[in-house]
Amino acid sequence: MAFEKTPGWLDWYAGPSRPQFTLPAGAVDAHCHVFGPGEEFPFAPERKYTPCDASKNDLFVLRDRLGFSRNVIVQATCHGADNRAMLDAIAYSDGRARGVATVKPGTPNDEIARLHAGGVRGVRFNFVKRLVDVLPRDGLRQVAEQIAPLGWHIVIYFEAEELPELRDFFLDLPVPLVVDHMGRPDVSLDPEGPQFEGFLDLMRAKPDVWCKVTCPERLSRTGPPALGGEQAAYRDVVPFARRVVEEFPDRVLWGTDWPHPNLTDHMPDDGLLVDFIPHIAPTPAQQQALLVDNPMRLYWPEES
Ligand code: 0GY
């Protein structure tokens, strides 16, 4: 089936630079997606956007170019709860990818077991209204209870303003939590102000709340560096990410977010995104934890 992209859609950047920062051996890109290809894996009827294709092959070429060893592929909302494109990518990765699925309430246990055998280790609960029709909490709770015996976790995606209302629901879930993109702080605010403190308090409340210190390109107001400019890329995001890495070095993850859905002002150079890492995790010990040890513990515990 041929799909027409959402008007104004920005395609992923096909010529990323080679990063200057050398990733530690065994680094994991712990947040990325595949889109279709739509001809093979049609986008879901209930989707809120229609992307360009971003295939498993394109993803693995990027992995190798940037110097990553492994990927965690997060089910993108444009595929709804049809996890086939993600599972196909994992199957093709030769053990070098794991996945986070979308699972609807009422999914039978044998389907969950099939996802586990296919490399899935978590589900994503999405509360971002421009991306999904948010599901009722009793259904989500049911999914959480169903996946708990498998040792899976829940990736939660929400807007910072929504956290106060969601906090109790999150803290009551019976599995580890992984927060996408630092809970999407407004980085024009004070990194030591109440909004970001509220997020850090969520992490302080339970020892198994993790955080992806990802998506500077999505959160930044200062943006990428101007050509020939002196300023660091996405510098306004740095103090936020550094606070998380410094306080919770063993509970942070990093990923490219390739192919960067729904960006409207620019498409990042993934090589530059990798070069952002030492700004938020300056020491080799922090980098080893962020890029290798932490994601391995969560996604490949049998090898870590
Ligand atoms: C991200 C962010 C976004 C989209 C999705 O699954 C998705 O559609 O996650 C977004 O638009 O903020 O993590 O890729």
mmCIF file of all heavy atoms in Angstrom, residues 24 49 57 60 75 117-118 208-209 213 233 249 259-260 284-285:
data_model
loop_
_atom_site.group_PDB
_atom_site.id
_atom_site.type_symbol
_atom_site.label_atom_id
_atom_site.label_comp_id
_atom_site.label_asym_id
_atom_site.label_seq_id
_atom_site.Cartn_x
_atom_site.Cartn_y
_atom_site.Cartn_z
ATOM 1 N N PRO A 24 32.119 3.790 23.629
ATOM 2 C CA PRO A 24 32.764 2.631 24.234
ATOM 3 C C PRO A 24 32.332 1.343 23.526
ATOM 4 O O PRO A 24 31.240 1.275 22.944
ATOM 5 C CB PRO A 24 32.261 2.643 25.686
ATOM 6 C CG PRO A 24 31.108 3.566 25.719
ATOM 7 C CD PRO A 24 31.197 4.482 24.536
ATOM 8 N N TYR A 49 0.113 10.304 12.567
ATOM 9 C CA TYR A 49 0.989 10.866 11.532
ATOM 10 C C TYR A 49 1.385 9.751 10.570
ATOM 11 O O TYR A 49 1.310 8.568 10.922
ATOM 12 C CB TYR A 49 2.244 11.510 12.151
ATOM 13 C CG TYR A 49 3.150 10.537 12.884
ATOM 14 C CD1 TYR A 49 4.141 9.811 12.204
ATOM 15 C CD2 TYR A 49 3.013 10.319 14.250
ATOM 16 C CE1 TYR A 49 4.961 8.907 12.869
ATOM 17 C CE2 TYR A 49 3.839 9.422 14.925
ATOM 18 C CZ TYR A 49 4.811 8.719 14.224
ATOM 19 O OH TYR A 49 5.626 7.820 14.875
ATOM 20 N N ASN A 57 17.095 -2.097 7.599
ATOM 21 C CA ASN A 57 18.405 -2.002 6.964
ATOM 22 C C ASN A 57 19.004 -0.616 7.144
ATOM 23 O O ASN A 57 20.189 -0.463 7.475
ATOM 24 C CB ASN A 57 18.255 -2.349 5.480
ATOM 25 C CG ASN A 57 19.570 -2.779 4.905
ATOM 26 O OD1 ASN A 57 20.328 -3.502 5.559
ATOM 27 N ND2 ASN A 57 19.885 -2.293 3.729
ATOM 28 N N PHE A 60 20.297 -0.329 10.683
ATOM 29 C CA PHE A 60 21.531 -1.049 11.002
ATOM 30 C C PHE A 60 22.743 -0.429 10.288
ATOM 31 O O PHE A 60 23.868 -0.492 10.798
ATOM 32 C CB PHE A 60 21.375 -2.544 10.714
ATOM 33 C CG PHE A 60 20.287 -3.190 11.565
ATOM 34 C CD1 PHE A 60 19.485 -4.211 11.077
ATOM 35 C CD2 PHE A 60 20.061 -2.750 12.870
ATOM 36 C CE1 PHE A 60 18.485 -4.786 11.866
ATOM 37 C CE2 PHE A 60 19.064 -3.317 13.666
ATOM 38 C CZ PHE A 60 18.280 -4.332 13.155
ATOM 39 N N GLN A 75 8.578 0.493 19.637
ATOM 40 C CA GLN A 75 7.432 0.502 18.718
ATOM 41 C C GLN A 75 6.958 1.943 18.511
ATOM 42 O O GLN A 75 6.676 2.648 19.486
ATOM 43 C CB GLN A 75 6.318 -0.354 19.322
ATOM 44 C CG GLN A 75 4.990 -0.276 18.638
ATOM 45 C CD GLN A 75 4.974 -1.035 17.302
ATOM 46 O OE1 GLN A 75 5.988 -1.554 16.835
ATOM 47 N NE2 GLN A 75 3.817 -1.082 16.691
ATOM 48 N N ALA A 117 9.625 -14.090 23.038
ATOM 49 C CA ALA A 117 10.509 -14.935 22.214
ATOM 50 C C ALA A 117 11.091 -14.133 21.053
ATOM 51 O O ALA A 117 12.206 -14.405 20.586
ATOM 52 C CB ALA A 117 9.720 -16.139 21.699
ATOM 53 N N GLY A 118 10.366 -13.117 20.601
ATOM 54 C CA GLY A 118 10.844 -12.267 19.502
ATOM 55 C C GLY A 118 11.778 -11.164 19.949
ATOM 56 O O GLY A 118 12.194 -10.344 19.132
ATOM 57 N N ASP A 208 13.779 1.790 41.002
ATOM 58 C CA ASP A 208 13.770 1.181 39.662
ATOM 59 C C ASP A 208 13.060 2.073 38.640
ATOM 60 O O ASP A 208 12.427 1.591 37.709
ATOM 61 C CB ASP A 208 13.173 -0.229 39.699
ATOM 62 C CG ASP A 208 11.754 -0.248 40.245
ATOM 63 O OD1 ASP A 208 11.255 0.828 40.643
ATOM 64 O OD2 ASP A 208 11.143 -1.328 40.262
ATOM 65 N N VAL A 209 13.193 3.393 38.827
ATOM 66 C CA VAL A 209 12.748 4.322 37.776
ATOM 67 C C VAL A 209 14.004 4.766 37.022
ATOM 68 O O VAL A 209 14.944 5.289 37.623
ATOM 69 C CB VAL A 209 12.023 5.551 38.356
ATOM 70 C CG1 VAL A 209 11.555 6.466 37.228
ATOM 71 C CG2 VAL A 209 10.843 5.143 39.230
ATOM 72 N N VAL A 213 18.160 9.943 28.765
ATOM 73 C CA VAL A 213 18.627 11.330 28.652
ATOM 74 C C VAL A 213 18.793 11.656 27.163
ATOM 75 O O VAL A 213 19.876 11.982 26.683
ATOM 76 C CB VAL A 213 19.906 11.577 29.480
ATOM 77 C CG1 VAL A 213 19.580 11.639 30.945
ATOM 78 C CG2 VAL A 213 20.963 10.497 29.247
ATOM 79 N N ALA A 233 26.069 22.385 20.250
ATOM 80 C CA ALA A 233 24.711 22.001 19.848
ATOM 81 C C ALA A 233 23.836 21.791 21.088
ATOM 82 O O ALA A 233 24.305 21.246 22.094
ATOM 83 C CB ALA A 233 24.768 20.709 19.044
ATOM 84 N N PRO A 249 23.618 7.786 37.964
ATOM 85 C CA PRO A 249 24.494 7.269 36.890
ATOM 86 C C PRO A 249 24.153 5.843 36.471
ATOM 87 O O PRO A 249 24.418 5.463 35.324
ATOM 88 C CB PRO A 249 25.901 7.345 37.501
ATOM 89 C CG PRO A 249 25.690 7.444 38.981
ATOM 90 C CD PRO A 249 24.370 8.126 39.185
ATOM 91 N N PRO A 259 14.269 7.361 13.531
ATOM 92 C CA PRO A 259 14.389 8.389 12.486
ATOM 93 C C PRO A 259 13.709 9.697 12.854
ATOM 94 O O PRO A 259 13.292 10.436 11.960
ATOM 95 C CB PRO A 259 13.735 7.742 11.281
ATOM 96 C CG PRO A 259 12.754 6.764 11.871
ATOM 97 C CD PRO A 259 13.204 6.389 13.250
ATOM 98 N N HIS A 260 13.613 10.000 14.154
ATOM 99 C CA HIS A 260 13.228 11.340 14.628
ATOM 100 C C HIS A 260 11.842 11.791 14.165
ATOM 101 O O HIS A 260 11.706 12.797 13.458
ATOM 102 C CB HIS A 260 14.282 12.367 14.179
ATOM 103 C CG HIS A 260 15.681 11.970 14.505
ATOM 104 N ND1 HIS A 260 16.173 11.979 15.794
ATOM 105 C CD2 HIS A 260 16.693 11.505 13.715
ATOM 106 C CE1 HIS A 260 17.437 11.561 15.784
ATOM 107 N NE2 HIS A 260 17.769 11.257 14.548
ATOM 108 N N PRO A 284 34.614 8.941 31.596
ATOM 109 C CA PRO A 284 34.540 7.600 30.990
ATOM 110 C C PRO A 284 33.647 6.650 31.798
ATOM 111 O O PRO A 284 32.947 5.818 31.211
ATOM 112 C CB PRO A 284 35.995 7.126 30.992
ATOM 113 C CG PRO A 284 36.799 8.390 30.973
ATOM 114 C CD PRO A 284 36.009 9.399 31.761
ATOM 115 N N ALA A 285 33.632 6.783 33.119
ATOM 116 C CA ALA A 285 32.791 5.888 33.931
ATOM 117 C C ALA A 285 31.306 6.168 33.643
ATOM 118 O O ALA A 285 30.506 5.225 33.515
ATOM 119 C CB ALA A 285 33.089 6.087 35.413
#
